[in-house]
């Protein structure tokens, strides 16, 4: 069983920044981040392949969020800059064989809370 461990959430003022991290046990996977706002469905934020090239982003985070791989290729970061109140919610890390934007990855983390105050 693949285990994903997330960290880095917290409370930040609008316009601020946070960095989320996710480490997968075992080998390198394609990995993605999803956001679930209160009362809403889980939505795609960003994803990156096992090679780390050509990441994908949701339109509303382009230019504000950056996904990257660490030196340990089974760790992925999500840098959140210029945060807005609508970015509030739980951020989930996911892993699988290929990069997809649907919430259909094979493995999921427990989620980390991000709260943006206005």
């Amino acid at each position: 069983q693949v285990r994903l461990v997330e960290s880095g959430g917290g409370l930040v003022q609008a316009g601020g920044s946070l960095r989320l991290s996710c480490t997968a046990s075992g080998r390198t996977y394609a990995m993605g981040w999803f956001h679930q706002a209160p009362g809403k469905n889980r939505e795609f934020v960003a994803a990156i392949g096992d090679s780390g090239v050509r990441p994908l982003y949701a339109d509303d985070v382009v230019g504000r969020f950056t996904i990257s791989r660490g030196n340990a290729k089974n760790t992925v970061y999500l840098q959140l800059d210029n945060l807005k109140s609508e970015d509030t919610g739980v951020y989930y890390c996911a892993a699988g064989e290929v990069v997809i934007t649907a919430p259909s990855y094979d493995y999921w983390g427990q989620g980390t809370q991000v709260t943006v105050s206005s």
Side-chain angles (χ1 to χ4, degrees):
Q1 182 70 20
V2 176
R3 184 166 177 248
L4 302 179
V5 179
E6 301 145 333
S7 63
L11 172 64
V12 64
Q13 289 188 329
S17 298
L18 285 172
R19 188 173 83 154
L20 310 182
S21 65
C22 176
T23 299
S25 61
R27 61 179 177 85
T28 301
Y29 294 89
M31 295 176 76
W33 287 95
F34 288 77
H35 169 231
Q36 188 162 19
K40 295 192 176 181
N41 293 330
R42 200 168 294 189
E43 295 182 342
F44 173 74
V45 174
I48 193 166
D50 55 3
S51 65
V53 298
R54 286 198 291 272
L56 294 179
Y57 295 97
D59 289 343
D60 59 348
V61 306
V62 171
R64 298 192 301 123
F65 294 2
T66 305
I67 190 170
S68 61
R69 286 198 177 270
N71 290 332
K73 296 299 183 183
N74 59 339
T75 295
V76 170
Y77 301 101
L78 185 67
Q79 177 68 36
L80 295 77
D81 295 319
N82 191 20
L83 282 159
K84 305 176 182 180
S85 58
E86 52 263 43
D87 297 321
T88 292
V90 179
Y91 285 74
Y92 293 92
C93 175
E97 298 301 325
V98 296
V99 170
I100 54 177
T101 60
S104 303
Y105 284 82
D106 298 317
Y107 310 106
W108 291 86
Q110 79 283 0
T112 185
Q113 176 71 41
V114 170
T115 303
V116 184
S117 63
S118 56

